[in-house]
PDB file of all heavy atoms in Angstrom:
ATOM      1  N   ILE B 312     -27.577 -43.471 160.049  1.00 88.00           N
ATOM      2  CA  ILE B 312     -27.111 -42.126 159.671  1.00 88.00           C
ATOM      3  C   ILE B 312     -28.212 -41.089 159.924  1.00 88.00           C
ATOM      4  O   ILE B 312     -27.957 -39.987 160.395  1.00 88.00           O
ATOM      5  CB  ILE B 312     -26.706 -42.053 158.179  1.00 88.00           C
ATOM      6  CG1 ILE B 312     -25.708 -43.134 157.861  1.00 88.00           C
ATOM      7  CG2 ILE B 312     -26.120 -40.704 157.823  1.00 88.00           C
ATOM      8  CD1 ILE B 312     -25.600 -43.384 156.382  1.00 88.00           C
ATOM      9  N   GLY B 313     -29.473 -41.492 159.618  1.00 80.00           N
ATOM     10  CA  GLY B 313     -30.596 -40.558 159.844  1.00 80.00           C
ATOM     11  C   GLY B 313     -30.413 -39.368 158.950  1.00 80.00           C
ATOM     12  O   GLY B 313     -29.848 -39.409 157.850  1.00 80.00           O
ATOM     13  N   LYS B 314     -30.894 -38.193 159.410  1.00 74.00           N
ATOM     14  CA  LYS B 314     -30.710 -36.927 158.722  1.00 74.00           C
ATOM     15  C   LYS B 314     -30.916 -36.991 157.221  1.00 74.00           C
ATOM     16  O   LYS B 314     -31.955 -37.378 156.752  1.00 74.00           O
ATOM     17  CB  LYS B 314     -29.301 -36.352 159.050  1.00 74.00           C
ATOM     18  CG  LYS B 314     -29.140 -36.019 160.518  1.00 74.00           C
ATOM     19  CD  LYS B 314     -29.540 -34.607 160.764  1.00 74.00           C
ATOM     20  CE  LYS B 314     -29.369 -34.256 162.241  1.00 74.00           C
ATOM     21  NZ  LYS B 314     -29.991 -32.996 162.559  1.00 74.00           N
ATOM     22  N   THR B 315     -29.775 -36.750 156.496  1.00 78.00           N
ATOM     23  CA  THR B 315     -29.888 -36.616 155.046  1.00 78.00           C
ATOM     24  C   THR B 315     -30.151 -37.949 154.351  1.00 78.00           C
ATOM     25  O   THR B 315     -30.540 -37.939 153.185  1.00 78.00           O
ATOM     26  CB  THR B 315     -28.580 -36.039 154.508  1.00 78.00           C
ATOM     27  OG1 THR B 315     -27.479 -36.692 155.168  1.00 78.00           O
ATOM     28  CG2 THR B 315     -28.492 -34.563 154.779  1.00 78.00           C
ATOM     29  N   ALA B 316     -29.908 -39.045 155.056  1.00 85.00           N
ATOM     30  CA  ALA B 316     -30.105 -40.349 154.380  1.00 85.00           C
ATOM     31  C   ALA B 316     -31.558 -40.776 154.355  1.00 85.00           C
ATOM     32  O   ALA B 316     -31.933 -41.694 153.656  1.00 85.00           O
ATOM     33  CB  ALA B 316     -29.267 -41.425 155.084  1.00 85.00           C
ATOM     34  N   SER B 317     -32.393 -40.104 155.136  1.00 89.00           N
ATOM     35  CA  SER B 317     -33.766 -40.606 155.344  1.00 89.00           C
ATOM     36  C   SER B 317     -34.572 -40.715 154.075  1.00 89.00           C
ATOM     37  O   SER B 317     -35.254 -41.694 153.847  1.00 89.00           O
ATOM     38  CB  SER B 317     -34.483 -39.726 156.335  1.00 89.00           C
ATOM     39  OG  SER B 317     -33.812 -39.764 157.565  1.00 89.00           O
ATOM     40  N   TYR B 318     -34.486 -39.685 153.214  1.00 90.00           N
ATOM     41  CA  TYR B 318     -35.254 -39.757 151.976  1.00 90.00           C
ATOM     42  C   TYR B 318     -34.783 -40.908 151.121  1.00 90.00           C
ATOM     43  O   TYR B 318     -35.606 -41.712 150.598  1.00 90.00           O
ATOM     44  CB  TYR B 318     -35.172 -38.430 151.210  1.00 90.00           C
ATOM     45  CG  TYR B 318     -36.040 -38.351 150.012  1.00 90.00           C
ATOM     46  CD1 TYR B 318     -37.338 -37.896 150.102  1.00 90.00           C
ATOM     47  CD2 TYR B 318     -35.601 -38.772 148.762  1.00 90.00           C
ATOM     48  CE1 TYR B 318     -38.189 -37.843 148.986  1.00 90.00           C
ATOM     49  CE2 TYR B 318     -36.397 -38.721 147.640  1.00 90.00           C
ATOM     50  CZ  TYR B 318     -37.710 -38.266 147.755  1.00 90.00           C
ATOM     51  OH  TYR B 318     -38.532 -38.228 146.665  1.00 90.00           O
ATOM     52  N   GLY B 319     -33.476 -41.030 150.958  1.00 91.00           N
ATOM     53  CA  GLY B 319     -32.898 -42.094 150.167  1.00 91.00           C
ATOM     54  C   GLY B 319     -33.255 -43.460 150.754  1.00 91.00           C
ATOM     55  O   GLY B 319     -33.564 -44.435 150.043  1.00 91.00           O
ATOM     56  N   LEU B 320     -33.179 -43.514 152.062  1.00 93.00           N
ATOM     57  CA  LEU B 320     -33.538 -44.788 152.745  1.00 93.00           C
ATOM     58  C   LEU B 320     -34.936 -45.224 152.420  1.00 93.00           C
ATOM     59  O   LEU B 320     -35.186 -46.388 152.083  1.00 93.00           O
ATOM     60  CB  LEU B 320     -33.387 -44.566 154.267  1.00 93.00           C
ATOM     61  CG  LEU B 320     -34.015 -45.616 155.135  1.00 93.00           C
ATOM     62  CD1 LEU B 320     -33.074 -46.831 155.216  1.00 93.00           C
ATOM     63  CD2 LEU B 320     -34.265 -45.111 156.553  1.00 93.00           C
ATOM     64  N   LEU B 321     -35.885 -44.310 152.457  1.00 94.00           N
ATOM     65  CA  LEU B 321     -37.289 -44.666 152.185  1.00 94.00           C
ATOM     66  C   LEU B 321     -37.506 -45.070 150.733  1.00 94.00           C
ATOM     67  O   LEU B 321     -38.223 -45.996 150.427  1.00 94.00           O
ATOM     68  CB  LEU B 321     -38.229 -43.494 152.603  1.00 94.00           C
ATOM     69  CG  LEU B 321     -38.331 -43.341 154.099  1.00 94.00           C
ATOM     70  CD1 LEU B 321     -38.929 -41.994 154.437  1.00 94.00           C
ATOM     71  CD2 LEU B 321     -39.142 -44.471 154.715  1.00 94.00           C
ATOM     72  N   LEU B 322     -36.815 -44.349 149.844  1.00 93.00           N
ATOM     73  CA  LEU B 322     -36.874 -44.712 148.445  1.00 93.00           C
ATOM     74  C   LEU B 322     -36.368 -46.127 148.257  1.00 93.00           C
ATOM     75  O   LEU B 322     -36.922 -46.936 147.481  1.00 93.00           O
ATOM     76  CB  LEU B 322     -36.027 -43.735 147.653  1.00 93.00           C
ATOM     77  CG  LEU B 322     -36.373 -43.453 146.186  1.00 93.00           C
ATOM     78  CD1 LEU B 322     -37.817 -43.038 146.010  1.00 93.00           C
ATOM     79  CD2 LEU B 322     -35.453 -42.381 145.613  1.00 93.00           C
ATOM     80  N   TYR B 323     -35.277 -46.453 148.918  1.00 94.00           N
ATOM     81  CA  TYR B 323     -34.653 -47.768 148.869  1.00 94.00           C
ATOM     82  C   TYR B 323     -35.592 -48.819 149.408  1.00 94.00           C
ATOM     83  O   TYR B 323     -35.763 -49.901 148.834  1.00 94.00           O
ATOM     84  CB  TYR B 323     -33.379 -47.712 149.682  1.00 94.00           C
ATOM     85  CG  TYR B 323     -32.478 -48.945 149.550  1.00 94.00           C
ATOM     86  CD1 TYR B 323     -31.643 -49.085 148.454  1.00 94.00           C
ATOM     87  CD2 TYR B 323     -32.504 -49.920 150.513  1.00 94.00           C
ATOM     88  CE1 TYR B 323     -30.838 -50.209 148.315  1.00 94.00           C
ATOM     89  CE2 TYR B 323     -31.710 -51.046 150.380  1.00 94.00           C
ATOM     90  CZ  TYR B 323     -30.880 -51.180 149.290  1.00 94.00           C
ATOM     91  OH  TYR B 323     -30.081 -52.268 149.170  1.00 94.00           O
ATOM     92  N   VAL B 324     -36.240 -48.510 150.549  1.00 95.00           N
ATOM     93  CA  VAL B 324     -37.159 -49.466 151.191  1.00 95.00           C
ATOM     94  C   VAL B 324     -38.350 -49.764 150.270  1.00 95.00           C
ATOM     95  O   VAL B 324     -38.710 -50.950 150.064  1.00 95.00           O
ATOM     96  CB  VAL B 324     -37.672 -48.907 152.518  1.00 95.00           C
ATOM     97  CG1 VAL B 324     -38.854 -49.691 153.042  1.00 95.00           C
ATOM     98  CG2 VAL B 324     -36.560 -48.871 153.571  1.00 95.00           C
ATOM     99  N   LEU B 325     -38.902 -48.732 149.681  1.00 95.00           N
ATOM    100  CA  LEU B 325     -40.084 -48.939 148.803  1.00 95.00           C
ATOM    101  C   LEU B 325     -39.690 -49.748 147.575  1.00 95.00           C
ATOM    102  O   LEU B 325     -40.418 -50.660 147.164  1.00 95.00           O
ATOM    103  CB  LEU B 325     -40.702 -47.605 148.410  1.00 95.00           C
ATOM    104  CG  LEU B 325     -41.181 -46.677 149.551  1.00 95.00           C
ATOM    105  CD1 LEU B 325     -41.861 -45.435 149.008  1.00 95.00           C
ATOM    106  CD2 LEU B 325     -42.161 -47.425 150.447  1.00 95.00           C
ATOM    107  N   SER B 326     -38.559 -49.373 146.975  1.00 94.00           N
ATOM    108  CA  SER B 326     -38.108 -50.113 145.802  1.00 94.00           C
ATOM    109  C   SER B 326     -37.891 -51.569 146.136  1.00 94.00           C
ATOM    110  O   SER B 326     -38.270 -52.465 145.354  1.00 94.00           O
ATOM    111  CB  SER B 326     -36.809 -49.502 145.242  1.00 94.00           C
ATOM    112  OG  SER B 326     -36.967 -48.178 144.976  1.00 94.00           O
ATOM    113  N   ASN B 327     -37.279 -51.774 147.275  1.00 94.00           N
ATOM    114  CA  ASN B 327     -36.981 -53.164 147.679  1.00 94.00           C
ATOM    115  C   ASN B 327     -38.181 -54.040 147.821  1.00 94.00           C
ATOM    116  O   ASN B 327     -38.152 -55.220 147.548  1.00 94.00           O
ATOM    117  CB  ASN B 327     -36.209 -53.101 149.004  1.00 94.00           C
ATOM    118  CG  ASN B 327     -34.780 -53.498 148.797  1.00 94.00           C
ATOM    119  OD1 ASN B 327     -34.549 -54.606 148.370  1.00 94.00           O
ATOM    120  ND2 ASN B 327     -33.870 -52.597 149.034  1.00 94.00           N
ATOM    121  N   ALA B 328     -39.282 -53.414 148.317  1.00 95.00           N
ATOM    122  CA  ALA B 328     -40.512 -54.201 148.492  1.00 95.00           C
ATOM    123  C   ALA B 328     -40.949 -54.763 147.146  1.00 95.00           C
ATOM    124  O   ALA B 328     -41.267 -55.953 147.035  1.00 95.00           O
ATOM    125  CB  ALA B 328     -41.584 -53.328 149.110  1.00 95.00           C
ATOM    126  N   PHE B 329     -40.897 -53.914 146.115  1.00 95.00           N
ATOM    127  CA  PHE B 329     -41.331 -54.385 144.753  1.00 95.00           C
ATOM    128  C   PHE B 329     -40.308 -55.347 144.179  1.00 95.00           C
ATOM    129  O   PHE B 329     -40.673 -56.362 143.561  1.00 95.00           O
ATOM    130  CB  PHE B 329     -41.529 -53.169 143.819  1.00 95.00           C
ATOM    131  CG  PHE B 329     -42.679 -52.341 144.263  1.00 95.00           C
ATOM    132  CD1 PHE B 329     -42.505 -51.067 144.743  1.00 95.00           C
ATOM    133  CD2 PHE B 329     -43.987 -52.807 144.135  1.00 95.00           C
ATOM    134  CE1 PHE B 329     -43.575 -50.261 145.126  1.00 95.00           C
ATOM    135  CE2 PHE B 329     -45.079 -52.014 144.486  1.00 95.00           C
ATOM    136  CZ  PHE B 329     -44.883 -50.742 145.009  1.00 95.00           C
ATOM    137  N   ILE B 330     -39.025 -55.067 144.381  1.00 95.00           N
ATOM    138  CA  ILE B 330     -37.980 -55.972 143.856  1.00 95.00           C
ATOM    139  C   ILE B 330     -38.139 -57.390 144.416  1.00 95.00           C
ATOM    140  O   ILE B 330     -38.142 -58.378 143.678  1.00 95.00           O
ATOM    141  CB  ILE B 330     -36.549 -55.435 144.218  1.00 95.00           C
ATOM    142  CG1 ILE B 330     -36.275 -54.121 143.530  1.00 95.00           C
ATOM    143  CG2 ILE B 330     -35.517 -56.461 143.884  1.00 95.00           C
ATOM    144  CD1 ILE B 330     -35.020 -53.419 144.018  1.00 95.00           C
ATOM    145  N   LYS B 331     -38.305 -57.475 145.706  1.00 95.00           N
ATOM    146  CA  LYS B 331     -38.429 -58.783 146.328  1.00 95.00           C
ATOM    147  C   LYS B 331     -39.680 -59.524 145.879  1.00 95.00           C
ATOM    148  O   LYS B 331     -39.621 -60.728 145.634  1.00 95.00           O
ATOM    149  CB  LYS B 331     -38.436 -58.650 147.879  1.00 95.00           C
ATOM    150  CG  LYS B 331     -37.078 -58.272 148.440  1.00 95.00           C
ATOM    151  CD  LYS B 331     -37.235 -58.078 149.926  1.00 95.00           C
ATOM    152  CE  LYS B 331     -36.055 -57.388 150.533  1.00 95.00           C
ATOM    153  NZ  LYS B 331     -36.336 -56.963 151.914  1.00 95.00           N
ATOM    154  N   ALA B 332     -40.786 -58.764 145.756  1.00 95.00           N
ATOM    155  CA  ALA B 332     -42.030 -59.427 145.267  1.00 95.00           C
ATOM    156  C   ALA B 332     -41.776 -60.010 143.901  1.00 95.00           C
ATOM    157  O   ALA B 332     -42.115 -61.159 143.603  1.00 95.00           O
ATOM    158  CB  ALA B 332     -43.167 -58.425 145.321  1.00 95.00           C
ATOM    159  N   VAL B 333     -41.205 -59.175 142.973  1.00 95.00           N
ATOM    160  CA  VAL B 333     -40.970 -59.650 141.610  1.00 95.00           C
ATOM    161  C   VAL B 333     -40.051 -60.865 141.611  1.00 95.00           C
ATOM    162  O   VAL B 333     -40.334 -61.910 140.986  1.00 95.00           O
ATOM    163  CB  VAL B 333     -40.330 -58.542 140.747  1.00 95.00           C
ATOM    164  CG1 VAL B 333     -39.867 -59.066 139.405  1.00 95.00           C
ATOM    165  CG2 VAL B 333     -41.309 -57.397 140.534  1.00 95.00           C
ATOM    166  N   LEU B 334     -38.939 -60.766 142.314  1.00 95.00           N
ATOM    167  CA  LEU B 334     -37.916 -61.795 142.214  1.00 95.00           C
ATOM    168  C   LEU B 334     -38.341 -63.106 142.871  1.00 95.00           C
ATOM    169  O   LEU B 334     -38.096 -64.179 142.306  1.00 95.00           O
ATOM    170  CB  LEU B 334     -36.597 -61.285 142.807  1.00 95.00           C
ATOM    171  CG  LEU B 334     -35.876 -60.272 141.938  1.00 95.00           C
ATOM    172  CD1 LEU B 334     -34.593 -59.813 142.641  1.00 95.00           C
ATOM    173  CD2 LEU B 334     -35.510 -60.865 140.598  1.00 95.00           C
ATOM    174  N   PHE B 335     -38.956 -63.037 144.013  1.00 95.00           N
ATOM    175  CA  PHE B 335     -39.380 -64.298 144.651  1.00 95.00           C
ATOM    176  C   PHE B 335     -40.494 -65.010 143.876  1.00 95.00           C
ATOM    177  O   PHE B 335     -40.493 -66.237 143.785  1.00 95.00           O
ATOM    178  CB  PHE B 335     -39.755 -64.090 146.123  1.00 95.00           C
ATOM    179  CG  PHE B 335     -38.570 -64.019 147.033  1.00 95.00           C
ATOM    180  CD1 PHE B 335     -38.260 -62.823 147.698  1.00 95.00           C
ATOM    181  CD2 PHE B 335     -37.723 -65.095 147.204  1.00 95.00           C
ATOM    182  CE1 PHE B 335     -37.131 -62.742 148.521  1.00 95.00           C
ATOM    183  CE2 PHE B 335     -36.614 -65.021 148.032  1.00 95.00           C
ATOM    184  CZ  PHE B 335     -36.310 -63.842 148.687  1.00 95.00           C
ATOM    185  N   LEU B 336     -41.432 -64.228 143.320  1.00 94.00           N
ATOM    186  CA  LEU B 336     -42.482 -64.857 142.511  1.00 94.00           C
ATOM    187  C   LEU B 336     -41.870 -65.439 141.238  1.00 94.00           C
ATOM    188  O   LEU B 336     -42.249 -66.544 140.781  1.00 94.00           O
ATOM    189  CB  LEU B 336     -43.565 -63.843 142.182  1.00 94.00           C
ATOM    190  CG  LEU B 336     -44.408 -63.314 143.335  1.00 94.00           C
ATOM    191  CD1 LEU B 336     -45.523 -62.382 142.858  1.00 94.00           C
ATOM    192  CD2 LEU B 336     -45.042 -64.469 144.137  1.00 94.00           C
ATOM    193  N   THR B 337     -40.922 -64.714 140.647  1.00 93.00           N
ATOM    194  CA  THR B 337     -40.263 -65.249 139.441  1.00 93.00           C
ATOM    195  C   THR B 337     -39.464 -66.510 139.775  1.00 93.00           C
ATOM    196  O   THR B 337     -39.454 -67.475 138.998  1.00 93.00           O
ATOM    197  CB  THR B 337     -39.324 -64.141 138.842  1.00 93.00           C
ATOM    198  OG1 THR B 337     -40.105 -62.987 138.604  1.00 93.00           O
ATOM    199  CG2 THR B 337     -38.716 -64.642 137.543  1.00 93.00           C
ATOM    200  N   ALA B 338     -38.803 -66.501 140.886  1.00 93.00           N
ATOM    201  CA  ALA B 338     -38.016 -67.687 141.325  1.00 93.00           C
ATOM    202  C   ALA B 338     -38.951 -68.888 141.449  1.00 93.00           C
ATOM    203  O   ALA B 338     -38.591 -70.002 141.119  1.00 93.00           O
ATOM    204  CB  ALA B 338     -37.294 -67.427 142.635  1.00 93.00           C
ATOM    205  N   GLY B 339     -40.165 -68.650 141.949  1.00 90.00           N
ATOM    206  CA  GLY B 339     -41.145 -69.735 142.039  1.00 90.00           C
ATOM    207  C   GLY B 339     -41.517 -70.271 140.705  1.00 90.00           C
ATOM    208  O   GLY B 339     -41.613 -71.500 140.478  1.00 90.00           O
ATOM    209  N   LYS B 340     -41.702 -69.393 139.760  1.00 88.00           N
ATOM    210  CA  LYS B 340     -42.080 -69.811 138.407  1.00 88.00           C
ATOM    211  C   LYS B 340     -40.938 -70.625 137.782  1.00 88.00           C
ATOM    212  O   LYS B 340     -41.179 -71.684 137.144  1.00 88.00           O
ATOM    213  CB  LYS B 340     -42.327 -68.552 137.557  1.00 88.00           C
ATOM    214  CG  LYS B 340     -43.029 -68.790 136.249  1.00 88.00           C
ATOM    215  CD  LYS B 340     -44.514 -68.899 136.477  1.00 88.00           C
ATOM    216  CE  LYS B 340     -45.231 -69.169 135.147  1.00 88.00           C
ATOM    217  NZ  LYS B 340     -46.637 -69.521 135.409  1.00 88.00           N
ATOM    218  N   ILE B 341     -39.725 -70.117 137.950  1.00 90.00           N
ATOM    219  CA  ILE B 341     -38.548 -70.817 137.375  1.00 90.00           C
ATOM    220  C   ILE B 341     -38.420 -72.222 137.993  1.00 90.00           C
ATOM    221  O   ILE B 341     -38.206 -73.223 137.288  1.00 90.00           O
ATOM    222  CB  ILE B 341     -37.288 -69.967 137.612  1.00 90.00           C
ATOM    223  CG1 ILE B 341     -37.359 -68.683 136.814  1.00 90.00           C
ATOM    224  CG2 ILE B 341     -36.016 -70.771 137.238  1.00 90.00           C
ATOM    225  CD1 ILE B 341     -36.277 -67.676 137.184  1.00 90.00           C
TER     226      ILE B 341
END
Side-chain angles (χ1 to χ4, degrees):
Chain B
I312 306 164
K314 294 270 179 192
T315 44
S317 299
Y318 186 88
L320 165 79
L321 289 165
L322 207 55
Y323 189 82
V324 167
L325 300 185
S326 303
N327 250 299
F329 292 111
I330 292 169
K331 288 177 194 168
V333 169
L334 286 178
F335 279 115
L336 293 183
T337 305
K340 194 82 181 170
I341 292 169

